[in-house]
Amino acid sequence: MGHGGASGYLALMALFSFAPESMKPTALLLNIFVAGISFYYYYKEGYFNKKLFLAFAVTSIPFSLLGGRFDIDASLYKKILAVLLIFAILKMLNVFGKESDKIKDIKLWQGLIVGAIIGFFSGLIGIGGGIILTPLILLFHWGKMKEAAAVSALFIWVNSASALIGQFSIGITLEKESFLLVAIALIGGVLGGYYGSKKINNQKLRYILAFVLIIACAKLMFT
């Protein structure tokens, strides 16, 4: 899908009652590795649109760093994350999955505003922002599906790195177990990046992941 998987990581960590202070940096770390792999495969296939990426990244990087420096209340964190997971659920169910042959050029002001907003919440919650950016690119016809995936992959990488720097700057550290999760996630990232860029789409897997996200979303919202 061209994503780092943060929404999935955070959903599973929420289901297993991880502490919010460890959820965010761990998800950001995993994002950096997996989104990097995804970007490599989509870039290799020629889907990357540099102009579209820069329209968002100029403002998303500093705002992601800013968001990463905020340490919000655990209860509020869970509620915001639950709302953002709704985007992931809608994406899994292909609500935003239709691409158009009529591609529109993004206006600079549109990219700057979208990049700033997504960047800030990416850093605040610990996601790369691709789960929000991809649907917007498709919804406003700024790019096709694979192009959106390539742009989102690098968008996630830069935002995650920026937000993680923000976390480190306020004294947040990574648990040793996080690096074990990196090794496991890399295996999935390589397989997903390769098959995703080769036009393989597993609809059943999307529905299963959407079901998991719905459960996690409900737990975050009501507990």
Side-chain angles (χ1 to χ4, degrees):
M1 294 174 63
H3 293 163
S7 57
Y9 309 140
L10 291 170
L12 290 172
M13 284 189 276
L15 285 175
F16 288 99
S17 301
F18 278 55
E21 57 267 23
S22 67
M23 289 169 62
K24 181 157 72 170
T26 299
L28 291 170
L29 178 67
L30 294 173
N31 258 359
I32 290 172
F33 285 92
V34 177
I37 291 171
S38 293
F39 174 70
Y40 167 76
Y41 282 111
Y42 281 97
Y43 180 83
K44 187 178 178 182
E45 293 296 320
Y47 294 117
F48 181 60
N49 184 328
K50 182 179 178 180
K51 181 180 178 181
L52 183 61
F53 165 74
L54 290 175
F56 303 116
V58 169
T59 51
S60 75
I61 294 173
F63 273 87
S64 183
L65 176 64
L66 178 64
R69 289 182 54 82
F70 278 84
D71 187 17
I72 62 175
D73 175 74
S75 178
L76 178 60
Y77 175 87
K78 290 180 179 180
K79 298 298 185 293
I80 296 176
L81 176 57
V83 172
L84 293 179
L85 282 181
I86 293 174
F87 281 90
I89 294 168
L90 294 176
K91 181 67 177 68
M92 291 293 179
L93 296 176
N94 279 333
V95 173
F96 301 109
K98 297 179 179 179
E99 59 183 342
S100 173
D101 291 330
K102 297 180 180 179
I103 303 302
K104 303 176 182 177
D105 288 331
I106 186 172
K107 294 180 173 59
L108 180 60
W109 65 268
Q110 293 174 322
L112 295 178
I113 292 174
V114 170
I117 294 173
I118 297 178
F120 179 75
F121 279 101
S122 296
L124 185 68
I125 301 302
I127 60 174
I131 206 69
I132 303 174
L133 182 64
T134 299
L136 288 178
I137 291 175
L138 297 176
L139 184 64
F140 291 104
H141 308 303
W142 291 329
K144 295 187 177 182
M145 182 73 74
K146 298 294 183 179
E147 193 174 42
V151 168
S152 290
L154 187 56
F155 183 80
I156 290 165
W157 195 96
V158 297
N159 285 341
S160 297
S162 182
L164 195 56
I165 291 172
Q167 286 276 279
F168 291 154
S169 71
I170 60 172
I172 300 296
T173 58
L174 287 163
E175 300 288 342
K176 293 180 180 178
E177 291 79 5
S178 299
F179 295 96
L180 174 60
L181 295 178
V182 167
I184 298 171
L186 280 174
I187 297 173
V190 170
L191 293 173
Y194 175 78
Y195 286 110
S197 64
K198 299 294 182 180
K199 300 182 179 181
I200 289 182
N201 179 25
N202 191 328
Q203 193 61 45
K204 288 185 178 180
L205 180 59
R206 284 175 177 265
Y207 289 140
I208 292 171
L209 292 175
F211 179 70
V212 172
L213 292 179
I214 290 171
I215 295 173
C217 186
K219 180 176 180 180
L220 288 166
M221 189 67 72
F222 301 111
T223 60

